[in-house]
Amino acid sequence: MNPVPSSQSGTRRPDIPDPVWPSTEWPAGPIGPPPTPFEPQVEADEAPRRRDGWGIALGIIGGALLGTGVTLGVLGLTGGFDDGVIAEPATTLAAVPTTAAPPGLSAAPSVTDVAAAAIPSIVAVEVLGEDGGRGGGSGVVYREDGFIITNNHVVSGAAEIFVIFSDGIGYSAELVGTDPLTDIAVISSERTDLAPIRLGAASDLVIGERAVAVGNPLGLLGGPSVTTGILSATGRSLAVEGDNILYGLLQTDAPITRGSSGGALLDGEAKLIGITTAIGVSDVGAEGLGFAVPVDLAVSVADDLIADGQVRHALLGISGTTVTEGLDGATVPIGVEVSTLGTDSAYAAVGGQISDVIVAIEGAKVTSIQELIARLRMRRAGDEITVRSLRGDQELTFTVELGEWTE
């Protein structure tokens, strides 16, 4: 199957950079005033191709989505950031190790069972900002030696961090590291009797299966809150302030409220499948749109932050667009056409060219720019990957040593 050349009819989405080129910025999150509402950027697409996808711009909570009155906001007690939604195919992510079921968890757990197993692993995070502002969110106990996963936007700009465990006991916490690109952060507590969350695997998820959210909405006293719903979709992308985008997110209709940022999204066996990050709301309340960073990505980033205090994000060194081919009167996404090559591009270094269409990495099919970026998020600088591309009638395979993104 050959891509549609630029001179023929077909569909291409607007240019979106690869995960780490060019550099991007994130808002401060729950500390300080909310940002200026997001303004959609409209670019002229080259004829005769047309734009594909939704192209929806969403503002901070309280603003309006063009045409529908829906907005998307960050889960936090105060503040927030602007997000947008871009629709694309679901993304398959690699599995992470699982741990044994805790005592008392039945073979077919009820929501009561899931809640009982997970609540001891959920914490409230309170933050005092460097400017004196206060904010907060939630966190998930990752390791028994004190490491807790939360969101970058919960602790960004924090001067002091305080953690309250499900039994009401509070401890000061230290910031281990943050990763704005994935909105994941790790903090640590000196408490030694922690109950780590059980880990699930995003690759095992099925749309429509049970999803349970556990967090600390609105900073309410009395311990974590539990809500239930289903896994609505995978592979979602959220455009945020500073032109950064979160990729490969899980979507759920389990009710999630401000303050649940950094909390847990669980499967029906009380295993962590995601870290809750954002919600869609309107002037009449929640819209059943909750989003979470998949556990695979969250754990990968957390491990890097714990080991090195930073994440060496991979740089392919391209920008590209989703390209489609006409088939029986329909358009089918087939890959990512390379639009530009960055300075010292890893892809260009092995012979990659502009107008190549990337169709697979590491043997896994890639049909959209969002899917390509979601897969690259799981890679690190220095990793070698195989990239399969189409160039006219040729099919080429490159071995690429990924570069490193720097701000």
Side-chain angles (χ1 to χ4, degrees):
M1 181 179 291
N2 294 324
V4 178
S6 298
S7 60
Q8 297 181 14
S9 61
T11 302
R12 182 167 59 184
R13 301 187 184 200
D15 282 356
I16 298 177
D18 77 9
V20 288
W21 178 61
S23 62
T24 58
E25 298 179 354
W26 280 69
I31 300 172
T36 303
F38 175 82
E39 294 292 336
Q41 300 296 314
V42 180
E43 302 174 353
D45 210 357
E46 57 182 273
R49 293 183 176 175
R50 62 174 177 82
R51 290 184 182 276
D52 191 19
W54 291 64
I56 295 176
L58 295 143
I60 59 173
I61 290 180
L65 169 65
L66 302 179
T68 66
V70 176
T71 60
L72 195 67
V74 169
L75 309 178
L77 293 178
T78 60
F81 62 83
D82 306 336
D83 288 30
V85 174
I86 300 175
E88 77 292 327
T91 302
T92 302
L93 300 174
V96 296
T98 59
T99 55
L105 190 63
S106 62
S110 66
V111 175
T112 303
D113 296 325
V114 172
I119 283 176
S121 303
I122 308 302
V123 304
V125 180
E126 296 183 353
V127 173
L128 176 64
E130 295 173 350
D131 60 356
R134 293 181 178 274
S138 303
V140 177
V141 176
Y142 176 44
R143 292 186 0 187
E144 61 184 8
D145 52 353
F147 291 106
I148 297 166
I149 299 176
T150 185
N151 283 145
N152 170 72
H153 76 260
V154 170
V155 296
S156 178
E160 297 180 24
I161 303 172
F162 195 70
V163 174
I164 302 174
F165 293 89
S166 61
D167 57 7
I169 298 176
Y171 279 79
S172 294
E174 298 292 331
L175 181 63
V176 176
T178 67
D179 183 51
L181 274 181
T182 57
D183 198 25
I184 292 296
V186 175
I187 58 179
S188 65
S189 164
E190 295 182 354
R191 187 168 181 175
T192 58
D193 60 341
L194 301 183
I197 198 80
R198 297 173 64 224
L199 300 179
S203 60
D204 296 337
L205 298 178
V206 178
I207 293 174
E209 71 174 84
R210 175 185 290 168
V212 178
V214 188
N216 291 276
L218 305 179
L220 298 174
L221 299 178
S225 294
V226 178
T227 58
T228 185
I230 64 169
L231 180 68
S232 303
T234 61
R236 293 304 197 203
S237 299
L238 298 181
V240 298
E241 187 188 34
D243 295 329
N244 197 12
I245 301 176
L246 292 176
Y247 293 94
L249 299 181
L250 308 179
Q251 180 185 327
T252 182
D253 69 345
I256 302 171
T257 306
R258 283 180 177 268
S260 294
S261 280
L265 186 66
L266 308 165
D267 64 13
E269 298 180 351
K271 295 177 182 177
L272 182 71
I273 58 174
I275 300 295
T276 52
T277 297
I279 54 173
V281 298
S282 73
D283 55 359
V284 296
E287 295 290 337
L289 294 171
F291 300 92
V293 179
V295 60
D296 316 76
L297 181 58
V299 166
S300 173
V301 169
D303 286 342
D304 285 353
L305 293 175
I306 292 169
D308 303 317
Q310 63 178 343
V311 182
R312 298 183 63 225
H313 282 290
L315 177 67
L316 186 58
I318 71 162
S319 66
T321 56
T322 298
V323 65
T324 66
E325 182 176 65
L327 180 65
D328 296 330
T331 57
V332 180
I334 61 169
V336 177
E337 184 177 21
V338 178
S339 302
T340 58
L341 297 170
T343 304
D344 299 324
S345 166
Y347 184 70
V350 296
Q353 298 179 7
I354 292 175
S355 296
D356 286 355
V357 176
I358 298 173
V359 295
I361 62 170
E362 288 296 286
K365 188 177 181 180
V366 170
T367 60
S368 70
I369 183 66
Q370 289 84 4
E371 192 172 22
L372 172 61
I373 296 173
R375 295 188 185 281
L376 289 173
R377 282 280 193 260
M378 296 295 297
R379 305 291 171 176
R380 296 292 178 262
D383 288 353
E384 283 195 351
I385 64 170
T386 58
V387 177
R388 185 160 58 89
S389 301
L390 303 179
R391 184 180 296 167
D393 293 330
Q394 293 181 293
E395 184 174 300
L396 306 172
T397 300
F398 304 99
T399 299
V400 181
E401 181 178 343
L402 295 169
E404 182 175 1
W405 171 73
T406 56
E407 293 189 42

